[in-house]
């Protein structure tokens, strides 16, 4: 039986890259029935898009999103830097699917500001080629990491994350994450928001930020490459959902809701957008 959830936020899926955990994400999406689904940027990785690599599990994610939008779920597709090409379709609506750059929602009388967060990244704004090169390097690191983890699992040992180790030990990376969270929170406080929700930095988080001007709750949905995380809001409470913690509880009916559209049709849609 599917779980009813008031609001779900996912980001940084990076469909079309080798690091994307599409099968796990599909299992999660098949286990829930959200009233509102927010896709907070970098869902399809246009920067690294290749027609030669867009496997069926990745296409099924698009199928599932369209399925939500054709039924009872409000779906917001907020554009990020890796899918910035979709920004020319801002304010486009298809059924209950809306493409936008940011959204402002009122959740139980709390003002909520949701955006991807790449606006804070100088490398994206001013040296895009460096950011794209970094994206390719990150994808290669994930491929190598997946191979290493395959061998570790075969030997009965715990998985290891190269990029998490780098982030946690490099002072500049730690400072960048801290600065990102503080900047987003300060802007939210200045504009009288109770919640600010971002993606972009692949760092799941939920914490209170207090300044001289006030306070807000900062949240980050993480990613579906390493953390396999999402934000859920239900019964007036936020929580970070981690796939690895709850996968044994997921009920996946495996249903394919849009029977009239096959995978080749979906790939044509993606190709036409790019």
């Amino acid at each position: 039986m599917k779980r009813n959830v008031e609001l779900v936020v996912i980001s940084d899926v990076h469909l079309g890259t080798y690091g994307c955990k599409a099968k796990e994400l599909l299992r999660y999406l098949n286990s829930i029935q959200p009233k509102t689904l927010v896709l907070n940027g970098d869902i399809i990785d246009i920067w690294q898009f290749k027609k030669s690599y867009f496997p069926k599990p990745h296409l099924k994610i698009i199928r599932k999103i369209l399925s939500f939008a054709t039924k009872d779920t409000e779906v917001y597709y907020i554009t990020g830097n890796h899918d910035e090409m979709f920004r020319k379709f801002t304010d486009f609506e298809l059924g209950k699917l809306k493409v936008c750059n940011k959204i402002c929602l009122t959740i139980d009388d709390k003002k909520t500001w949701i955006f991807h967060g790449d606006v804070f990244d100088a490398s994206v704004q001013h040296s895009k080629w460096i950011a794209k090169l970094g994206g390719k390097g990150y994808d290669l690191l994930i491929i190598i990491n997946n191979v290493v983890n395959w061998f570790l699992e075969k030997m009965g040992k715990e998985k290891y994350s190269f990029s998490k180790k780098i982030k946690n030990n490099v002072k500049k990376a730690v400072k960048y994450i801290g600065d990102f969270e503080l900047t987003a929170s300060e802007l939210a406080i200045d504009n009288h928001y109770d919640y600010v929700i971002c993606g972009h930095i692949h760092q799941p988080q939920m914490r209170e930020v207090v300044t001289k001007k006030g306070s807000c709750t900062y949240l980050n949905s993480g990613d579906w490459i390493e953390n396999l995380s999402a934000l859920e809001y239900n019964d007036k409470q936020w929580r970070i959902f981690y796939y690895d913690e709850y996968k044994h509880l997921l009920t996946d009916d495996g249903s394919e809701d849009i029977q009239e559209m096959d995978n080749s049709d979906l790939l044509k849609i993606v190709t036409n957008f790019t």
Side-chain angles (χ1 to χ4, degrees), residues 174-186 189 194-197 201 203-211 215-220 231 238 240:
V174 174
K175 184 178 185 300
Y176 170 74
I177 291 170
D179 289 348
F180 179 97
E181 294 176 355
L182 183 59
T183 300
S185 300
E186 287 178 339
I189 292 168
D194 300 290
Y195 302 124
V196 58
I197 301 174
I201 58 173
Q203 190 75 19
Q205 182 63 273
M206 180 171 61
R207 70 185 181 97
E208 290 293 318
V209 176
V210 180
T211 71
S215 65
C216 77
T217 301
Y218 167 86
L219 303 107
N220 195 297
L231 291 170
W238 286 101
I240 301 176

Side-chain angles (χ1 to χ4, degrees), residues 4-262:
N4 291 315
V5 186
E6 292 177 41
L7 173 64
V8 171
V9 183
I10 63 172
S11 67
D12 300 276
V13 177
H14 293 275
L15 294 172
T17 66
Y18 294 103
C20 171
K21 299 297 191 296
K23 290 180 180 178
E24 290 84 350
L25 176 56
L26 183 63
R27 187 164 179 240
Y28 169 63
L29 293 176
N30 278 338
S31 74
I32 59 173
Q33 186 55 59
K35 185 176 180 181
T36 302
L37 172 64
V38 178
L39 308 168
N40 196 11
D42 291 359
I43 304 303
I44 301 175
D45 197 320
I46 304 300
W47 282 6
Q48 301 181 69
F49 179 76
K50 303 180 187 72
K51 295 180 185 177
S52 60
Y53 186 79
F54 211 90
K56 286 185 178 181
H58 294 222
L59 290 165
K60 286 179 179 180
I61 296 297
I62 300 174
R63 183 195 297 271
K64 188 64 185 179
I65 291 169
L66 292 174
S67 170
F68 280 135
T70 56
K71 294 186 177 179
D72 299 323
T73 301
E74 293 284 344
V75 180
Y76 296 93
Y77 192 120
I78 298 175
T79 51
N81 50 303
H82 283 256
D83 49 14
E84 64 182 353
M85 192 168 290
F86 292 157
R87 285 177 177 160
K88 62 185 176 182
F89 299 103
T90 298
D91 299 327
F92 170 81
E93 296 186 17
L94 178 65
K96 292 190 175 183
L97 171 65
K98 302 175 180 66
V99 179
C100 47
N101 294 327
K102 60 183 178 181
I103 58 172
C104 301
L105 301 175
T106 300
I107 304 173
D108 288 326
D109 297 323
K110 301 286 187 179
K111 288 181 63 180
T112 305
W113 190 21
I114 309 177
F115 58 96
H116 183 63
D118 56 296
V119 67
F120 301 140
D121 196 331
S123 66
V124 172
Q125 298 299 319
H126 304 295
S127 302
K128 192 171 292 184
W129 69 272
I130 294 177
K132 289 184 177 181
L133 183 62
K136 290 182 182 295
Y138 179 74
D139 201 36
L140 179 60
L141 182 67
I142 293 299
I143 293 171
I144 296 171
N145 206 161
N146 286 341
V147 173
V148 170
N149 282 335
W150 184 86
F151 281 106
L152 288 175
E153 281 190 292
K154 291 295 181 182
M155 293 186 290
K157 295 186 178 181
E158 189 175 346
K159 290 182 180 180
Y160 187 85
S161 172
F162 291 164
S163 65
K164 281 186 181 179
K165 186 70 174 178
I166 292 169
K167 285 180 184 177
N168 291 335
N169 287 277
V170 178
K171 289 183 179 179
K172 284 186 177 180
V174 174
K175 184 178 185 300
Y176 170 74
I177 291 170
D179 289 348
F180 179 97
E181 294 176 355
L182 183 59
T183 300
S185 300
E186 287 178 339
L187 283 172
I189 292 168
D190 287 345
N191 289 279
H192 309 292
Y193 286 100
D194 300 290
Y195 302 124
V196 58
I197 301 174
C198 299
H200 187 56
I201 58 173
H202 295 208
Q203 190 75 19
Q205 182 63 273
M206 180 171 61
R207 70 185 181 97
E208 290 293 318
V209 176
V210 180
T211 71
K212 292 180 180 179
K213 294 183 179 180
S215 65
C216 77
T217 301
Y218 167 86
L219 303 107
N220 195 297
S221 45
D223 67 278
W224 284 86
I225 292 178
E226 294 178 273
N227 294 292
L228 281 65
S229 58
L231 291 170
E232 295 185 353
Y233 183 83
N234 219 26
D235 296 327
K236 298 185 178 183
Q237 288 189 332
W238 286 101
R239 75 159 175 165
I240 301 176
F241 175 94
Y242 288 101
Y243 176 85
D244 286 339
E245 290 182 11
Y246 295 97
K247 60 185 177 182
H248 63 288
L249 300 175
L250 297 185
T251 55
D252 180 0
D253 60 13
S255 62
E256 294 292 341
D257 298 304
I258 303 179
Q259 301 297 333
E260 69 273 14
M261 184 177 291
D262 62 24

